Amino acid sequence: MATSGRGPRERMVFSAAQLLRRGGVAATGMREVAVHAAAPRGSLQHYFPGGKEQLVNEAVGWAGRYAGKRVARLLAALPEPTPSALFAEMVRQWTDEYETAGFAGGCPLAAATVDCAGTTASTREATAAAFAAWTAPLAAALTGMGVPGGRSDALATLMISSLEGAIIMARAEQDVRALTTVSRELGPLLDAAAGKAG
Amino acid sequence: MATSGRGPRERMVFSAAQLLRRGGVAATGMREVAVHAAAPRGSLQHYFPGGKEQLVNEAVGWAGRYAGKRVARLLAALPEPTPSALFAEMVRQWTDEYETAGFAGGCPLAAATVDCAGTTASTREATAAAFAAWTAPLAAALTGMGVPGGRSDALATLMISSLEGAIIMARAEQDVRALTTVSRELGPLLDAAAGKAG
DNA sequence: CCCATTCTATGACCATCGTCATAGGGCTGT
DNA sequence: ACAGCCCTATGACGATGGTCATAGAATGGG
């Protein structure tokens, strides 16, 4: 698996993001990344002279851009776009994975933040940039649905915060309850903000 | 610091929880815990024959009980108890820490979940129990403020999820923005649920 | 055909860490 | 004083992991 990407470098970044989700940064070995990516171990030091730190930072950046693009993709697939429907789709990505593949993986951004925010400055900056790359398209989507400009950023932050926290709770409980709960409880609030100015 | 607790055992559990917050499970060494707790290293194998796994699990349990008790304490200190005020106080615990002590630490439950949920079954169970020990008193408090029984659990889950996610975003951004945002945006929703049945 | 650049291969080094083994203090009760 | 128990002390072991050094392919332009 994980053989789709083009070059070995890209595959390694992708695999790193994938493995980050499971056990966090420290539990993810460089050799393990190479194996998972079906990439030669010798390429690690060639493509990532900055070592593990660089690889993790790029994986985080990749994850942030992926999340940002996914917002647009989900939005485009909605029959009638409403904030609650978008959020429900974002949540559904996770409930689907958990119900079909188990609760092994979480969000790579959360993993990198939890493990590195207090110790590795460059990785912390990478996570901040990644969250920004996720929040911005989401806020723009909300604005496009009628949410006033001043609220869009706040609601996007609320959506992502709730989702991240619910992912953690779901993994702990091995139950998607927390995810479905935040989706259900937050939906009306989001749609209300889109309906009329708040 | 961290010398208040009674026995060395209790201090080590407390210190483990403290250190977990910084770099996660893998980044927290047993020797480091002993040093931080000002406890003899030889006591580790004596008090925690189950090794690191046991120590981490007890630290997680301690954190869960602490969070549960803190809900009651914050509630009692509120001049006029409303759900939004309680949530604001929960959030304020974190903004206060971050503004005075920096963004070094996150939530130990999140750290243990991110690092161990997919690999260490006993730790995952400990995190689930800890979240339950936190959610239950919170839901009870909401019920006591007029939230209908069916909504209390859901809103407690929403509050904790949002808080956990906002903690992660705040650490990434080194800014309490996400925390204050979720508090402000969620407040009206919580109070509305307490006012009349939903 | 050659050379330079890019990529890969692999073994070794060193630090760290969890764990264990073994032994030593220090107290209590009799 | 002795026995027994709880706690502490400390060195060693084995494993893991990130990084480095060095060398070997492979590719592509001249």
Side-chain angles (χ1 to χ4, degrees), chain B residues 31 40-43 45-47:
Chain B
R31 296 164 170 87
R41 193 192 119 200
S43 299
Q45 84 177 271
H46 184 255
Y47 288 118

Side-chain angles (χ1 to χ4, degrees), chain A residues 85-126:
Chain A
L86 176 58
F87 188 52
E89 279 305 300
M90 289 170 62
V91 167
R92 209 165 71 84
Q93 298 267 324
W94 290 94
T95 57
D96 280 356
E97 172 184 338
Y98 286 157
E99 277 165 352
T100 65
F103 294 83
C107 174
L109 302 189
T113 304
V114 161
D115 286 347
C116 300
T119 60
T120 314
S122 72
T123 304
R124 187 205 57 78
E125 288 162 19

Side-chain angles (χ1 to χ4, degrees), chain B residues 5 7 47 49 53 82-83 85 115 118 127 132-133 162 164 167 177 183 196:
Chain B
Y47 288 118
E53 191 173 329
T82 64
D115 287 346
T127 58
S162 305
E164 290 285 359
I167 288 168
R177 179 194 66 89
S183 175
K196 59 206 73 163

